[in-house]
Amino acid sequence: MFKGAVLRYLVSDALSLIGNSIAGVVLPLVLLARTGDVLAAGSLALICAVPQFVCGVVGGALLDRMNRRTVSIVADFISAASCALLPIIDEVWGLSFGWFVLLGLLGAVGDVPGMSARDALLPAVCEREGADLQRFVGASQSLGALVNIIGPAVAALLIGFMDEADVLWVTAAFSCAAALVTWTLPRSVGEVAAAAEAEQANGAAVPSKGATLLATAKSVLVDGLTALFATDPLLRASTMLSFGITMVMGSLQGIVLPAFFTQMGQPEAVGYVVSAMGAGLLMGSMGYTALAHKMSRRSWLVVSLVGMAAAVGVMGRFPELPVLLAAATLLGLFAGPASALLGFFAFDRVPDERRGSAMGTLNALYLVVAPAGAFVGSVLISTVQIHGAGPVLAGAWLVVTVVALLARPLRHIEAKDLAADRI
């Protein structure tokens, strides 16, 4: 049973996630309602992608120079402000494409470094409390899945009672609460002095205190890319698999499903579908946490990938809502073990002294990949219509699955293989 700093970390993470999950449902609907153009909504995501990437890299630099707990707190408050400003501006001036861009950039300043700071804090919190990292990652995934049931369902209910933009007040409140709970964590879990000393002992270059933030960011980017792609074949393969899944899901959940249900006159149904995914993810993550050692890691990965591909194949045909909800639940169910495994590799394979750089770079890349997927989805809708976009995305997911199953590093992921890779 988790307690102390570990429990408070989980509560803070849950508060942040529930706010983000509500915003994830509401923001695409607000975009579509205010712009009236699917391609414009997809373009907005792509326009914000590069600044988000820059914020992620600079955030990674901050994480290796500043207390990670402090960065997480400040980032959550900035995220809250970016959400609260949307309904205010909508009421006073009306939201235009330019306002979405401006507030998207402000949100990136908070969201990207905040995610990286939270990720970098996780292993330190586990070490302080003596919690097993692999089991904690599984438990964290389960909590995230529970939140992803509650958040979208709450969003769907709120949309029925108020304007979509006003729902973002709830997101702002959750971000503020997350910051306050993080404030209760011991300051020591965010300190990076020990990590810097370890890095220097290993002969790695440590940015001097006089180095500019941009110079440090460049160093962090190079160091993060090296940690993720150059030194560990398994980490490289698992990262690329995560990117493939994120890109397709960014298109399906970020643009295609909201556009489909908006066209059907049922915008609230997006929340129910996302909640169904969360329900499945919760069951899958809990099952993996309880039964992780009953099957090999390779077996878990194969079952997860094949099951997800089948579920996306059904969803891509846009069946009746009950069937779509069932397919979304299965997608989450099979995604649970894969998500926990890929998350474990990211935390376990990156040395502590490089974790800030790697997590900052990784989250920055995610925030380019997901908007790129949303843009591709908007282009597909504009060219082959919504019902043509679904099969294309299902085919793309199948390609990702086949490549992952055949990739050599992902065929050798047992404990002995992991140990051998480090020799």
Side-chain angles (χ1 to χ4, degrees):
M1 191 70 165
F2 298 122
K3 58 183 180 179
V6 171
L7 180 60
R8 294 197 299 277
Y9 174 92
L10 288 173
V11 171
S12 173
D13 195 36
L15 290 168
S16 180
L17 286 173
I18 196 169
N20 288 340
S21 66
I22 293 173
V25 172
V26 174
L27 280 174
L29 297 175
V30 175
L31 278 168
L32 290 171
R34 298 303 187 270
T35 65
D37 186 350
V38 173
L39 188 58
S43 300
L44 175 65
L46 196 61
I47 289 170
C48 294
V50 173
Q52 285 176 333
F53 177 80
V54 173
C55 288
V57 174
V58 174
L62 286 172
L63 294 180
D64 286 335
R65 294 163 66 97
M66 296 178 62
N67 188 289
R68 293 162 181 176
R69 169 182 166 273
T70 302
V71 173
S72 179
I73 293 169
V74 173
D76 276 330
F77 280 130
I78 293 175
S79 295
S82 69
C83 288
L85 284 171
L86 274 164
I88 292 174
I89 291 172
D90 190 43
E91 180 68 25
V92 176
W93 294 290
L95 285 169
S96 64
F97 187 81
W99 281 117
F100 279 113
V101 172
L102 182 62
L103 295 178
L105 297 180
L106 177 61
V109 173
D111 291 341
V112 189
M115 286 189 299
S116 301
R118 203 175 299 278
D119 287 343
L121 279 172
L122 189 151
V125 172
C126 284
E127 183 178 353
R128 184 183 188 277
E129 299 294 317
D132 179 77
L133 180 60
Q134 184 172 356
R135 291 181 63 85
F136 184 67
V137 169
S140 180
Q141 293 288 345
S142 298
L143 181 62
L146 179 60
V147 164
N148 285 330
I149 300 170
I150 299 171
V154 169
L157 292 173
L158 291 174
I159 289 170
F161 292 99
M162 63 179 71
D163 185 81
E164 293 96 330
D166 291 332
V167 178
L168 294 171
W169 284 112
V170 179
T171 297
F174 276 108
S175 293
C176 286
L180 294 175
V181 175
T182 302
W183 210 321
T184 69
L185 293 176
R187 182 177 175 81
S188 59
V189 299
E191 293 176 354
V192 295
E197 290 172 3
E199 187 174 355
Q200 194 169 31
N202 290 333
V206 180
S208 66
K209 290 184 179 180
T212 66
L213 186 61
L214 290 180
T216 304
K218 179 181 177 181
S219 174
V220 164
L221 176 60
V222 173
D223 198 40
L225 291 173
T226 299
L228 292 172
F229 297 106
T231 60
D232 191 317
L234 175 58
L235 185 58
R236 178 170 59 248
S238 63
T239 301
M240 293 304 297
L241 173 57
S242 296
F243 286 168
I245 293 173
T246 300
M247 187 167 188
V248 179
M249 282 304 300
S251 182
L252 184 64
Q253 185 177 329
I255 286 292
V256 176
L257 283 175
F260 171 73
F261 284 115
T262 297
Q263 180 177 292
M264 298 294 292
Q266 298 176 299
E268 71 281 356
V270 179
Y272 299 132
V273 172
V274 177
S275 288
M277 290 185 201
L281 187 62
L282 174 62
M283 291 185 287
S285 298
M286 290 179 65
Y288 176 76
T289 301
L291 305 173
H293 301 294
K294 298 294 184 180
M295 288 170 51
S296 67
R297 287 171 176 163
R298 172 66 179 176
S299 297
W300 279 113
L301 187 63
V302 171
V303 170
S304 293
L305 291 175
V306 172
M308 285 191 292
V312 172
V314 174
M315 293 181 68
R317 300 180 64 183
F318 298 113
E320 295 295 324
L321 184 58
V323 178
L324 189 58
L325 290 172
T329 303
L330 287 176
L331 175 58
L333 178 68
F334 286 108
S339 180
L341 272 173
L342 295 175
F344 170 69
F345 293 147
F347 290 123
D348 185 61
R349 307 290 287 187
V350 178
D352 181 70
E353 65 271 10
R354 281 185 163 179
R355 192 165 285 128
S357 301
M359 292 300 105
T361 303
L362 183 61
N363 285 326
L365 290 172
Y366 276 135
L367 288 171
V368 172
V369 172
F375 178 74
V376 169
S378 67
V379 171
L380 286 174
I381 293 173
S382 299
T383 54
V384 299
Q385 305 304 312
I386 292 176
H387 286 280
V392 173
L393 292 178
W397 193 292
L398 182 61
V399 170
V400 171
T401 299
V402 171
V403 172
L405 291 175
L406 296 178
R408 186 176 181 277
L410 293 175
R411 287 187 281 120
H412 302 280
I413 57 175
E414 303 313 311
K416 61 180 192 246
D417 300 314
L418 295 178
D421 284 345
R422 289 178 174 155
I423 297 176

